[in-house]
Amino acid sequence: VSRDDPSHPRFLAAGESWSTRAALALPQPSALPVAMQAAHDAGAAHEAPPRPKLGTQFMGLYHDGRYVDAYGLVVSDFEERCDALGADDLFALAETARMAGHPRHAAIAFDALRTRFRTNARAPLAALELGRLDLDDLDDPRAAKDALDDAVALQPDAFFREDADARRVQALEAMGDRSGCVAERDRYLAAYPDGSHRTTVARRCR
């Protein structure tokens, strides 16, 4: 019987060694990682590109309260930026325009934030600020009422709720909607018997 006959295995004796020229059959790599990588690459190809930023120069001026100078950096393409920026940058852009004395541009940026980023924490405040601008600076009480309603809808228990409710009374009065104004006024007075706007609201809708 041949010593290499696989049907008759034997143990090595002292001083002997074993070797083989047969290639070991290595397991083939799974095709799953390749498929997963392809899926990942395909998903990455469809991801939205990162949003542009306002830049360090703008943000430095903004945080220093130099709103006019910061606004000067963005005024030439302000509306295009409103279409491209993320929520936090939109808020900074809107605040800069408002503080620099450009309410229409501020309103555009606040509106972009509250309409495009509905679940962002700043969206309710952006809607409130939009309502204030429409009411106090842009003479558009109907748009103001819509924005104020949206602010309340986005965050019914917001810290600014009383202010929003008082301004809704003001907007209805400016619209000439007396019945709506009276109803909203009486609701405010009942909800906030010691409200900070109570005296002003009580005089409305005459």
Side-chain angles (χ1 to χ4, degrees):
V1 178
S2 169
R3 60 182 295 177
D4 296 324
D5 185 352
S7 63
H8 293 79
R10 72 181 183 82
F11 294 99
L12 295 176
E16 293 184 326
S17 62
W18 174 85
S19 66
T20 180
R21 295 180 182 177
L24 293 177
L26 297 177
Q28 293 299 311
S30 169
L32 181 59
V34 176
M36 291 175 64
Q37 184 63 45
H40 176 272
D41 292 343
H46 289 85
E47 288 180 359
R51 294 189 180 277
K53 299 291 185 180
L54 286 171
T56 55
Q57 184 181 7
F58 176 96
M59 294 307 294
L61 293 170
Y62 170 70
H63 289 303
D64 287 344
R66 297 172 60 186
Y67 302 112
V68 173
D69 292 335
Y71 179 78
L73 296 176
V74 297
V75 62
S76 63
D77 58 349
F78 193 94
E79 294 189 35
E80 289 80 359
R81 289 175 182 270
C82 288
D83 292 335
L85 291 172
D88 290 344
D89 280 352
L90 273 173
F91 193 85
L93 191 67
E95 281 286 275
T96 295
R98 184 177 69 84
M99 296 300 292
H102 299 275
R104 192 165 300 280
H105 266 172
I108 291 171
F110 280 130
D111 190 48
L113 199 168
R114 65 121 181 181
T115 55
R116 289 172 45 217
F117 299 97
R118 303 289 291 169
T119 60
N120 186 273
R122 293 183 183 270
L125 184 56
L128 177 73
E129 294 294 347
L130 176 61
R132 287 173 173 170
L133 288 166
D134 284 333
L135 195 57
D136 297 340
D137 298 289
L138 301 176
D139 193 26
D140 193 345
R142 190 171 300 278
K145 175 66 164 49
D146 289 343
L148 293 166
D149 287 347
D150 196 31
V152 172
L154 285 168
Q155 191 174 355
D157 60 347
F159 69 91
F160 56 73
R161 175 63 187 267
E162 182 191 344
D163 186 50
D165 287 346
R167 288 181 175 274
R168 288 200 289 185
V169 178
Q170 181 183 354
L172 287 163
E173 181 182 52
M175 290 165 56
D177 183 354
R178 188 176 185 281
S179 61
C181 183
V182 169
E184 192 68 19
R185 179 197 66 192
D186 292 348
R187 194 198 65 77
Y188 172 92
L189 295 174
Y192 310 101
D194 299 314
S196 57
H197 302 285
R198 179 178 176 81
T199 300
T200 301
V201 170
R203 294 173 180 168
R204 295 200 181 277
C205 317
R206 300 299 183 186

